[in-house]
């Protein structure tokens, strides 16, 4: 049985296919629902609080304002399935929100938001490469005093080791490509801001790095197309298996992939209803 070939890709989908074709099939071809993870939900919450902070005039972006913005984001998330499906008890909920506050506080160690000239927040960009639409969302786009564009991407996880740094930057070079395609200008820098450690990894996009992204993305898309036509999505075991939502249907773990289409929605539906999966 062949599968319909996707017509759009985002950096996370490119990454997902290269990490594990079978998990990609479940998530992006069959579009099976996944239970949220505490790490990803906390990241969304902190991103939302920082987005609210940057909707304020520059001189009002204080720590106290960020505290209020996190309170507002928490109020939004309390009823959001992305949070409620985590099923946290009262103690775990307190710890979860306290850690989010630590991350928002830590942001002020990294930069002074009153000095940032942002020109775009949560910016959705897309560009065509042949028949394929490339899509991405940029956390923040800044304009420096020199008139240069800078892409900023917040990270709430750990700073990657040297060996993983380049793959993380691969994702942001993708954003650089989108910026250049849509806005007609290549950003002068791309910054990955690691809130927990206070570290910033900065990359300077070049013609070569942008060309690499388009070549690599086209190659991944070809591989996706071939996998769809031949129904050949093999599991690729790695450290990511421990957090994979589809492990119970993965043949590498003794599961039956054909049951996923029926069972995954039931499992997530049970979580949404407040029952254990
Ligand atoms: S458990 Fe591992 S090998 Fe199996 S689908 Fe998930 S990521 Fe792929």
């Amino acid at each position: 049985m062949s599968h319909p070939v996707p017509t759009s890709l985002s950096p996370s989908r490119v990454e997902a296919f290269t990490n594990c074709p079978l998990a990609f099939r479940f998530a992006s071809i069959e579009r099976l629902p996944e239970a949220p993870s505490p790490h990803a939900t906390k990241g969304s919450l902190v991103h939302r609080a920082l987005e609210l902070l940057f909707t304020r005039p520059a001189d009002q972006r204080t720590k106290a304002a960020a505290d209020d913005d996190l309170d507002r984001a928490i109020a939004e998330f309390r009823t959001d399935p992305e949070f409620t499906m985590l099923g946290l008890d009262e103690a775990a909920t307190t710890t979860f929100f306290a850690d989010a506050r630590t991350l928002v506080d830590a942001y002020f160690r990294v930069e002074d938001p009153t000095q940032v000239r942002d020109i775009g927040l949560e910016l959705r960009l897309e560009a065509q490469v042949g028949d394929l639409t490339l899509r991405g969302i940029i956390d923040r786009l800044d304009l420096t005093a020199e008139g240069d564009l800078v892409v900023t991407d917040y990270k709430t996880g750990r700073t990657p080791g040297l060996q993983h740094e380049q793959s993380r930057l691969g994702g942001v070079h993708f954003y650089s490509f989108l910026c250049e395609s849509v806005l007609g200008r290549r950003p002068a820098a791309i910054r990955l801001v690691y809130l927990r450690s206070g570290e910033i990894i900065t990359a300077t996009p070049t013609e070569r790095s942008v060309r690499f992204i388009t070549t690599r993305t086209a190659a991944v898309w070809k591989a996706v197309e071939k996998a769809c036509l031949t129904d050949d999505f093999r599991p690729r075991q790695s450290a990511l298996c421990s957090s994979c939502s589809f492990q119970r249907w993965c043949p590498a773990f003794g599961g039956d992939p054909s049951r996923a289409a029926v069972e995954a929605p039931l499992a997530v539906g049970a979580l949404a209803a407040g029952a254990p999966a």
Side-chain angles (χ1 to χ4, degrees):
M1 184 187 74
S2 63
H3 296 275
V5 181
T7 53
S8 69
L9 277 181
S10 64
S12 55
R13 280 181 168 211
V14 170
E15 187 83 6
F17 183 80
T18 47
N19 285 336
C20 175
L22 181 60
F24 173 89
R25 187 192 99 186
F26 287 141
S28 300
I29 306 285
E30 296 189 45
R31 296 183 178 279
L32 300 182
E34 293 180 66
S37 75
H39 171 72
T41 301
K42 197 181 295 166
S44 304
L45 174 65
V46 170
H47 275 74
R48 175 66 180 145
L50 292 177
E51 183 190 359
L52 289 170
L53 179 69
F54 274 88
T55 58
R56 296 174 181 270
D59 62 348
Q60 291 174 25
R61 295 169 188 165
T62 60
K63 268 195 173 192
D67 235 29
D68 290 346
D69 291 333
L70 179 60
D71 286 340
R72 187 174 147 196
I74 287 173
E76 291 172 1
F77 269 65
R78 274 190 187 279
T79 54
D80 190 317
E82 191 183 347
F83 175 73
T84 57
M85 281 168 63
L86 295 177
L88 302 181
D89 61 21
E90 208 178 313
T93 298
T94 303
T95 306
F96 182 91
F97 289 141
D99 192 41
R101 203 168 298 280
T102 303
L103 288 165
V104 171
D105 279 354
Y107 164 73
F108 286 83
R109 280 193 283 134
V110 181
E111 66 184 1
D112 176 357
T114 64
Q115 301 303 310
V116 174
R117 249 176 97 194
D118 53 296
I119 55 170
L121 298 174
E122 299 293 319
L123 213 55
R124 287 166 194 274
L125 299 178
E126 59 178 61
Q128 284 299 126
V129 174
D131 294 336
L132 184 65
T133 305
L134 299 180
R135 294 202 162 93
I137 303 175
I138 289 175
D139 288 345
R140 206 180 79 206
L141 184 66
D142 302 337
L143 189 64
T144 66
E146 294 75 35
D148 291 323
L149 296 178
V150 173
V151 172
T152 293
D153 198 45
Y154 306 119
K155 299 288 179 194
T156 51
R158 289 203 191 92
T159 314
L162 261 186
Q163 71 273 31
H164 296 298
E165 188 175 312
Q166 282 312 312
S167 75
R168 294 290 170 98
L169 286 172
V172 278
H173 282 305
F174 195 109
Y175 294 121
S176 154
F177 164 73
L178 286 176
C179 255
E180 193 170 344
S181 304
V182 177
L183 306 174
R185 278 171 65 189
R186 188 183 311 149
I190 306 169
R191 301 158 73 234
L192 299 185
V193 175
Y194 285 86
L195 298 171
R196 202 170 287 284
S197 66
E199 285 176 74
I200 299 180
I201 297 174
T202 303
T204 307
T206 60
E207 203 175 319
R208 195 161 159 246
S209 67
V210 170
R211 202 170 47 239
F212 171 74
I213 286 302
T214 47
T215 309
R216 179 169 181 266
T217 306
V220 171
W221 187 66
K222 281 276 162 233
V224 170
E225 197 176 35
K226 187 171 169 212
C228 286
L229 294 174
T230 57
D231 189 19
D232 186 4
F233 291 90
R234 295 179 196 189
R236 184 172 297 150
Q237 284 182 265
S238 72
L240 296 172
C241 295
S242 61
S243 56
C244 175
S245 309
F246 307 112
Q247 200 189 89
R248 72 173 80 168
W249 302 289
C250 174
F253 289 82
D256 177 357
S258 67
R259 299 172 70 104
V262 172
E263 293 179 0
L266 291 176
V268 173
L271 270 182

